[in-house]
Structures are given as C-alpha cells and as structure tokens.
Amino acid sequence: MNLTFVSVENNISTLGFRKMTGLVRSIHPDVKICYIVPIRTAAPLQRLAGTPEDRVADDEIDTIAMHLAKSDMVCFSSMSTHAEYTKKLIASIRSKNPTTFIMWGGIHCIMDPEDSIRHADAICTGEGERAFPEFFDAFKEGRDYSDVHNCYFNRNGKIIRNGLRPLLTRSELETLPFPTYAEQEMIFDPKQGFIPLTAKDYVRFEGLQYNVLWSIGCPNKCVYCGNSQFLKMHRDYARLRYPSVDYLIEQITRARESHPHISAVTFQDDSFMAMPRQVLEEFADKWKQKVQLPFAVHGLIPRYVRSDKMKMLISAGMIRVRMGIQSGSPRTLKFYKRPDTVEAITRALRVIGDHASYMMTPSYDFIVDNPVETAEDSAATVRLLQELPRPFILNIYPLMVIPGTELEEISERENLKLPFINPGKPTPSLINVLIVLSALIKLPKQYIERMLTKVVQQETIPTTYPIVLKALKGMFVFK
C-alpha cells in the first residue's frame, strides 16, 4: 500500500506528527513522510518586518495535490491555523484521484471534529498511537474499521462518531518508537516540488537545536487554550505523563547520531517544572553524565517555579527559560482562568531573576488586544513589565479564538468579534506601543503614568501608531 503522512505547519518541529510517523514506520516501513510549510513565521527578516513570509501560495496547491494523489492513503496533520489550507489540499486531491483515502489528525480534528470530518474520510479525535494501528490493520485486510475508538468516519456523508479510549499510560509511552528524525523525509519546495529533507533544511528551520516533548498534559484550563477542551474529554489530561529519563536520553542520543551538529535541546513541554523533584533530580544527574548539552525549557507555569528546581536544572545545563504571564491584571487573569495570581507571577519572576546571571535572557509571553480588558487592566500589564528583572525577551500575541475552546463559547455569547486563530499581528494601539517600549527600556515612572493616563482618555476613540509600533518591534528584535 502506498501510504503518505503529511505535516502542514509553520515549521518542521511538528512533535506530535513525528511521534506518529515514528510509530507508523514501525508497522509500515514504506510510509512516505512529507512536510509542507505554508508560512515561515520565524524567518529573521519577517520578524523584523512584522509580517510572515508566504512559503506556499494557493496556486501551488494543485502541484502538491498531484504528488499526494498518487497515494492509496494520505494522512494529514495540522493545527487550526492551517485548517483551511488543508481543506483545499484535500479537495484538490479528491479532484485528481477520488479513490485516495483521506485521514486527518492533529489538534484541529480534536478541537473541531464536526468541521474536520466533513472534508475527510476519517479523522483522529484523540491520541492516535493505538487508534491508527488498529484502523490501518483493518483497512489493509479489508475488514470493517468503523468502530475504531478515537476516530470519526465519513461514509458518503454519513458520519460515524466513535468514543474516546483511555489516555496512554506512562508504561505505554515507554513502549513507543522514537519520533522520526532525519529519516528519509521530504519537504515541498515551491520551485522543485517535493525534495529530500536534508541536514541543511534542519539547520535552516530549527537552527542547531533539537526540539523535544518529554511530558504530556497540563494542569491549567485557560479559556483560550486547547487544554480546556482536552480536560473536558479526559480529566486525567491534567496529570503529567512522561516516559523514563533513560527513554528521553536515548531519543536525544539517536538524534545526535543523525545530526552531530545538534548543540542544544529545547523542551516544549507545557509544564516542565511541575514534574516531581525526584524525577528532575534523576534527569539532571543523567543529563550531566550522558548528554552534556545546554538546554532550554519553554514551558514554565509560574506557581511551579522554585529556587531548588532552578538550581538543579541550571547545574545540569539549563541556559534559557520561557514562561507564560499573559497579563499583569488580576481581573484579566481571572477571565483567562489562569490559576496563577499576580503575586505568584511576581515570585516566579524573582526566582528567575535570582538565577538570570547563569542563563541567557529569559523569555515571557503576554496576550494583548483583549476586548474584555479595560484601559486599567492594560495599564497593570505595563506596570508589571516595568518591574520585570532585565533584560528579558517579550513575546506578545493578539487574543484569538481556537475552535472548540471555552473562549469560542465566550466570544459567541458576548459577541466579542475575536479573530480566528492565524499568524496575526498585535494592533498598533497606544497600549501595545507602551508594552513594547517597556520591554525595550525601563522608563521613568512619571512618564509611564502620564502615558497610561492618555491610554485611559483614548479608550473610547483609540488612536493607532502603526509606524511607531513597527519601528519599536524592529528595534527590539535587533536588540
């Protein structure tokens, strides 16, 4: 059988996709693995300009589909950002080869299954590591597969909706093959079509780092995050699940054998420091002995940031952290259902600041353009930014709706008119100018308060400053 797995994302990290393709390779070695990168948001020039780079135009969809339509089965993976793009690809494949079976997985299918199943023959609505092999065995042998849990099926417009199976246990995670990495993969090039993915491509997209996801799960249920939906489906999703330290280290060792240029590791876990101290102790000891690479942790939840864990991880090689703060306003944090108070955030910032001299610049995430926020809420964020230990990297994102989240329900109920998730840009409002300016330099308190007074005065008729905001963002990225 000619089987093709396709990732449609802004990068080639695609950690969930790589885990699935590693598993599929173990049961069907001839599977083709392809990457399509419609928008490359991390390109340096685009970061300076504040605009994403179009990597694949709509008029190239037919070229891509012509290649994929040769397969007996095509399995897509995408997040909601590229759901519409994936639908266009599916439609184009169908027009060229109606017999190609289309399966779709990834976050969008979990968050909005009713939308996804209208376009595919099958979708995966939960963890696919056990569901796909069961489905695939039945499909190959011509048996009925319509009762496979964690899947919906579309038979000529008749939708078969199956329930969810239990989440994988820690021991089951331990038995999974390692994620695919540098193993006969393909990438779409607008000029050449699908070509082999090389070490040069890895460096171009990933730099010198290896991205990894050790733990699954998050205790938070923020209204804007897919985790709010995951917790509705499985209460146990709040509990962290992860394979052993030895499994993790073996995975990274194998990746370095393929790419000796790897000189750092980035953990993309949602809540790295929430893992038990004894687990982190084992990790730190074995990392120093067997890996000896610097690493970054991109998933810190403020209430789990502790001085003892920071010291332990820094001694093992942690050189950078990234933490979600989102707002300096208690009212806004309550709206987001963030369990961390401003006091907890301040404590975490103090801990990070105490250890900053041993690491590279820490990175903090904030959400802007929230129509529920008042000028005073926004002012609280600016005041918090002014008090942050410097230097720091600021990441700001406009509030957007992911289908299936609690925020979507709130937005519809309150008529908030929030945009659908996309690689959007913050509006050039005065408050956003102040937020970026506060990250660039620490301003005199009296100046900040004078500007915040102006923000309150402009609340009903806001003035925008697109050139100023673009210049400040460019200065910040350059700095």
Side-chain angles (χ1 to χ4, degrees):
M1 173 179 286
N2 193 336
L3 172 64
T4 303
F5 265 65
V6 185
S7 166
V8 184
E9 291 299 343
N10 288 344
N11 53 60
I12 62 171
S13 299
T14 57
L15 301 176
F17 176 78
R18 288 181 177 276
K19 287 172 65 178
M20 275 302 301
T21 54
L23 172 67
V24 173
R25 271 251 167 93
S26 71
I27 61 174
H28 191 77
D30 292 334
V31 61
K32 297 178 181 65
I33 300 172
C34 301
Y35 296 87
I36 300 169
V37 185
I39 299 172
R40 190 177 173 203
T41 54
L45 289 177
Q46 276 61 50
R47 289 189 66 199
L48 281 168
T51 56
E53 170 194 5
D54 288 334
R55 290 279 301 162
V56 181
D58 284 353
D59 60 5
E60 290 161 343
I61 283 178
D62 280 348
T63 304
I64 297 170
M66 188 72 73
H67 176 89
L68 299 178
K70 299 171 186 175
S71 298
D72 299 309
M73 182 185 294
V74 178
C75 299
F76 284 100
S77 174
S78 72
M79 300 179 77
S80 295
T81 312
H82 293 308
E84 294 305 314
Y85 190 90
T86 303
K87 293 173 190 176
K88 291 178 182 178
L89 282 173
I90 292 172
S92 187
I93 291 171
R94 289 207 189 285
S95 71
K96 293 167 177 54
N97 186 358
T99 65
T100 297
F101 190 93
I102 305 290
M103 191 168 199
W104 190 0
I107 299 298
H108 184 70
C109 296
I110 297 173
M111 301 302 298
D112 198 352
E114 296 302 327
D115 172 67
S116 309
I117 193 58
R118 291 189 290 109
H119 302 272
D121 296 303
I123 64 170
C124 187
T125 59
E127 293 181 334
E129 286 87 348
R130 294 290 176 258
F132 184 81
E134 181 183 341
F135 153 76
F136 190 62
D137 283 347
F139 184 91
K140 284 194 302 182
E141 295 171 8
R143 293 185 283 108
D144 181 26
Y145 50 76
S146 62
D147 60 348
V148 174
H149 281 57
N150 279 20
C151 292
Y152 284 10
F153 297 97
N154 184 340
R155 290 187 167 172
N156 299 317
K158 180 183 177 183
I159 309 302
I160 301 169
R161 300 172 178 84
N162 295 317
L164 296 168
R165 60 181 69 211
L167 296 173
L168 293 174
T169 64
R170 284 187 58 187
S171 59
E172 286 176 316
L173 291 172
E174 190 85 16
T175 65
L176 297 176
F178 294 124
T180 302
Y181 184 82
E183 300 171 51
Q184 298 177 328
E185 302 155 283
M186 307 286 286
I187 187 168
F188 179 76
D189 180 271
K191 296 178 181 177
Q192 304 177 72
F194 282 97
I195 57 175
L197 187 66
T198 65
K200 189 175 181 179
D201 293 310
Y202 270 97
V203 173
R204 181 161 59 96
F205 282 95
E206 305 286 279
L208 301 180
Q209 68 180 333
Y210 178 76
N211 284 284
V212 64
L213 186 70
W214 182 16
S215 64
I216 305 170
C218 178
N220 288 354
K221 50 182 178 180
C222 308
V223 297
Y224 51 78
C225 178
N227 200 50
S228 60
Q229 175 68 5
F230 300 158
L231 286 169
K232 286 181 184 177
M233 297 161 61
H234 291 287
R235 287 186 302 172
D236 286 345
Y237 197 83
R239 181 174 55 86
L240 296 188
R241 295 168 293 137
Y242 42 87
S244 67
V245 173
D246 290 332
Y247 178 97
L248 169 70
I249 288 177
E250 179 63 21
Q251 176 187 336
I252 292 166
T253 300
R254 293 198 182 188
R256 293 178 72 188
E257 289 171 357
S258 299
H259 281 165
H261 67 255
I262 291 172
S263 56
V265 176
T266 299
F267 287 92
Q268 301 288 357
D269 302 42
D270 286 326
S271 185
F272 192 91
M273 278 198 187
M275 284 192 275
R277 179 185 169 88
Q278 62 269 26
V279 174
L280 293 179
E281 282 179 346
E282 181 188 359
F283 164 81
D285 290 340
K286 291 182 176 178
W287 191 272
K288 284 185 283 188
Q289 295 170 23
K290 299 180 179 181
V291 181
Q292 299 177 352
L293 281 181
F295 63 92
V297 173
H298 278 191
L300 293 188
I301 295 177
R303 64 186 179 279
Y304 295 113
V305 176
R306 290 173 16 194
S307 183
D308 59 335
K309 290 185 177 181
M310 285 288 293
K311 289 177 182 176
M312 184 195 312
L313 294 171
I314 288 172
S315 73
M318 185 172 72
I319 58 166
R320 174 170 280 166
V321 296
R322 179 174 177 177
M323 183 170 74
I325 296 176
Q326 316 314 353
S327 175
S329 162
R331 178 178 168 274
T332 302
L333 292 173
K334 184 176 180 181
F335 169 75
Y336 291 149
K337 294 190 176 178
R338 297 277 293 177
D340 292 296
T341 63
V342 175
E343 291 73 25
I345 292 170
T346 303
R347 282 196 300 271
L349 290 168
R350 192 178 306 122
V351 171
I352 294 170
D354 289 343
H355 298 86
S357 60
Y358 301 100
M359 298 187 293
M360 297 170 69
T361 309
S363 182
Y364 302 119
D365 297 349
F366 285 84
I367 297 174
V368 298
D369 297 336
N370 180 350
V372 172
E373 280 196 315
T374 65
E376 201 48 55
D377 292 323
S378 301
T381 295
V382 173
R383 293 186 182 106
L384 177 63
L385 279 163
Q386 283 292 304
E387 298 305 316
L388 256 60
R390 295 171 185 271
F392 62 89
I393 294 172
L394 174 72
N395 304 303
I396 58 172
Y397 304 96
L399 183 63
M400 292 181 286
V401 171
I402 300 174
T405 58
E406 188 175 346
L407 182 61
E408 182 181 42
E409 299 172 12
I410 295 170
S411 180
E412 291 175 355
R413 185 173 65 245
E414 304 294 334
N415 195 27
L416 298 182
K417 294 183 172 60
L418 286 167
F420 177 78
I421 188 166
N422 60 69
K425 298 182 293 182
T427 60
S429 61
L430 178 58
I431 192 65
N432 287 346
V433 166
L434 280 176
I435 285 172
V436 177
L437 185 60
S438 296
L440 264 174
I441 54 174
K442 186 168 184 176
L443 297 164
K445 188 173 181 180
Q446 54 269 38
Y447 175 81
I448 284 291
E449 293 303 324
R450 188 160 60 248
M451 294 302 293
L452 290 176
T453 300
K454 191 173 181 181
V455 168
V456 174
Q457 293 170 349
Q458 286 190 2
E459 189 168 21
T460 52
I461 310 176
T463 304
T464 58
Y465 305 85
I467 296 174
V468 176
L469 183 61
K470 181 173 282 193
L472 288 174
K473 287 178 70 178
M475 288 168 64
F476 187 80
V477 172
F478 182 78
K479 178 184 176 182

